[in-house]
Amino acid sequence: MSDNTPIEKPINFIRHQLNDDLDSGLHKSIQTRFPPEPNGYLHIGHAKSICLNFGLAQDYKGKCNLRFDDTNPAKEDAEFVESIKNDVEWLGFKWDGEIQYSSNYFLKFYEYAIELINKELAYVCFLNAEETREYRGTLKQAGKDSPYRQTSVKENLDLLAKMKEGKFSEGECVLRAKIDMASPFMCMRDPALYRIRFEKHHQTGNEWRIYPMYDFAHCISDAIEGVTHSLCTLEFQNNRHLYDWILEHLDGFNKPNRPHQYEFSRLNLEYTVMSKRKLQQLVEDELVSGWNDPRLPTLSGLRRRGYTAASIRDFVERIGISKVDSMTDMKILEDAVRDDLNVVAPRTMGVIDPIRVIIENYPENQVETLQAPIHPQNEAMGKRDIFFSRELYIDKADFAEIAPNKKFKRLAIDKEVRLRNAYVINATSFDTDFDGNITTVYATYDPDTLGKNPTDGRKVKGVIHFVEASKALKAEFRLYDRLFTLENPGKNDHFEQLLNPNSLVVTYGFVEPGMKDTTPEMAYQFEREGYFCRDNQASDDLIFNKTVSLRDTWK
Ligand code: ATP
Ligand code: MG
């Protein structure tokens, strides 16, 4: 193995290929690229591709560039370009050199098209869509040659120029490669290289009337940029033949060290959809609040929800790279963020569904300051002030009139419990409203139990969290669940009807006063409740998004 071969990462088939190509001297260094089409926001599937491409470049001390694959004027938008740049940087990667746009190469693509015509390897075809389909044949049956296949070079050059000048209407003709109408690979049966579009392009405006097809533009862009390994998802496996054919038939690129394409399986996640078309539909039909809705698998949604970049990179490591198509359990993603946040998230207390507690033997008008660790396993993170007084809030679920069973480790009448970071209390009575809901619990505290067990040997097993009422801050909590009710909603034609009606539940409660100026997106562990972060949509209100529960409770 060569010096710059990393050894610490598991070796997958792509790393084997890179090692081979460096060892044989085919390439002196590695170059990859991440080529998003700017027609939507990036999602967690793209993160797999980003981590793979940029990660290999980092590990092999090579380069990875960011290229906007903007060859389709109709669906693309500058807003998407900005969001994609943001998301790649947020994930922790920096592209090599300037950002590239396929549209920068429009003139070159055109010149390569002329080269193919001159070699009698491309022709302008006027078959309409239906005829083209008919001529293409089927998987079982060879196609037949287009009548325009024999047009002379001179005439084809003239026709392509006219296409470019806008002399033909959309759909009237296309430029096709002349390959093999009997190829077992449908994509090799004289595929289209250029089509006519009268749409304005977000980078080149109205300059062009013809736009290159993905297969033509992608391999040439890779070659122009010096990409060595062009990594894409499995559905492009057959297109590799066309990728190779195009580069092998262009003089400038037909060299052993030209780019080669390698395919890996795409990420599919359970209970969500990933295709940009489907995500766009959810956004446009206002079934979610936007591309950054915290329930979406978009990177901006995950980030707003409190996922860290480190946890997403770790998730991608955990799932690995292979050629087997599969569905990934959401639990793997959730475990990755839990494991990260467990280490980094400061602890705090928040009451999500509050009821009042009156400590009857505590003096009125007195507020006591206590200290609690910011992270019980990491003393270096220091301590925070919390408060205690006669009036507190606890969570409704932490009180029962009568303990339902012996395992109940919460507060009940005549049953003691410890308030986290504070005293042991014992409930004596409670009030209810007209509907019988408990509103206030009356309790007494044992002043001799701060930071120690009762001296008379009483055993207090339960610990519940609380916030002191006079200093507590009102907060909104947004609790999220799976967006869909089915494991694979994307398979269904009406996937939008399979939304989980409880994917967002909003509650109002209280947090510690120290949460006043928390930074959006910064994760906290609300003890016993889960990981939360402040919402990142500009607002003075305290709104906390639940990132994930402390343990996997979903079934
Ligand atoms: P979508 O189907 O969501 O529109 P796409 O493949 O059309 O996705 P692109 O913008 O073309 O989206 O993708 C940019 C890169 O990200 C491509 O190299 C593509 O293979 C990769 N990619 C997209 N989706 C996934 C996924 N689910 N898993 C892994 N890689 C992906
Ligand atoms: Mg695409």
Side-chain angles (χ1 to χ4, degrees), residues 18 51 77 136 287 387:
L18 265 52
C51 293
D77 198 303
R136 190 178 296 129
L287 296 168
F387 302 93

mmCIF file of all heavy atoms in Angstrom, residues 18 51 77 136 287 387:
data_model
loop_
_atom_site.group_PDB
_atom_site.id
_atom_site.type_symbol
_atom_site.label_atom_id
_atom_site.label_comp_id
_atom_site.label_asym_id
_atom_site.label_seq_id
_atom_site.Cartn_x
_atom_site.Cartn_y
_atom_site.Cartn_z
ATOM 1 N N LEU A 18 -9.369 2.602 -4.769
ATOM 2 C CA LEU A 18 -8.448 3.732 -4.636
ATOM 3 C C LEU A 18 -7.035 3.235 -4.345
ATOM 4 O O LEU A 18 -6.064 3.698 -4.952
ATOM 5 C CB LEU A 18 -8.928 4.667 -3.509
ATOM 6 C CG LEU A 18 -9.797 5.864 -3.919
ATOM 7 C CD1 LEU A 18 -10.969 5.455 -4.772
ATOM 8 C CD2 LEU A 18 -10.267 6.647 -2.705
ATOM 9 N N CYS A 51 -20.194 12.684 2.848
ATOM 10 C CA CYS A 51 -19.187 12.114 3.762
ATOM 11 C C CYS A 51 -18.269 11.160 3.012
ATOM 12 O O CYS A 51 -17.068 11.094 3.284
ATOM 13 C CB CYS A 51 -19.851 11.392 4.924
ATOM 14 S SG CYS A 51 -20.731 12.494 6.042
ATOM 15 N N ASP A 77 -32.850 26.453 -8.948
ATOM 16 C CA ASP A 77 -33.108 27.698 -8.277
ATOM 17 C C ASP A 77 -31.885 28.128 -7.473
ATOM 18 O O ASP A 77 -31.207 27.305 -6.884
ATOM 19 C CB ASP A 77 -34.272 27.445 -7.305
ATOM 20 C CG ASP A 77 -34.924 28.734 -6.881
ATOM 21 O OD1 ASP A 77 -34.195 29.585 -6.345
ATOM 22 O OD2 ASP A 77 -36.136 28.867 -7.104
ATOM 23 N N ARG A 136 -36.881 2.440 -30.134
ATOM 24 C CA ARG A 136 -35.884 2.025 -29.142
ATOM 25 C C ARG A 136 -35.939 0.517 -28.870
ATOM 26 O O ARG A 136 -34.969 -0.071 -28.434
ATOM 27 C CB ARG A 136 -36.073 2.796 -27.833
ATOM 28 C CG ARG A 136 -34.905 2.577 -26.858
ATOM 29 C CD ARG A 136 -35.059 3.375 -25.578
ATOM 30 N NE ARG A 136 -35.020 4.793 -25.838
ATOM 31 C CZ ARG A 136 -35.925 5.681 -25.399
ATOM 32 N NH1 ARG A 136 -36.960 5.280 -24.698
ATOM 33 N NH2 ARG A 136 -35.806 6.950 -25.672
ATOM 34 N N LEU A 287 -47.763 20.559 3.891
ATOM 35 C CA LEU A 287 -47.972 19.458 4.833
ATOM 36 C C LEU A 287 -46.889 19.482 5.912
ATOM 37 O O LEU A 287 -47.008 18.850 6.956
ATOM 38 C CB LEU A 287 -47.963 18.124 4.086
ATOM 39 C CG LEU A 287 -49.119 18.001 3.075
ATOM 40 C CD1 LEU A 287 -48.925 16.817 2.142
ATOM 41 C CD2 LEU A 287 -50.455 17.890 3.807
ATOM 42 N N PHE A 387 -32.852 26.699 41.627
ATOM 43 C CA PHE A 387 -33.533 27.380 42.722
ATOM 44 C C PHE A 387 -34.579 26.480 43.347
ATOM 45 O O PHE A 387 -35.055 25.526 42.722
ATOM 46 C CB PHE A 387 -34.164 28.681 42.200
ATOM 47 C CG PHE A 387 -33.128 29.583 41.589
ATOM 48 C CD1 PHE A 387 -32.863 29.535 40.216
ATOM 49 C CD2 PHE A 387 -32.359 30.405 42.397
ATOM 50 C CE1 PHE A 387 -31.875 30.320 39.663
ATOM 51 C CE2 PHE A 387 -31.356 31.190 41.836
ATOM 52 C CZ PHE A 387 -31.111 31.156 40.482
#
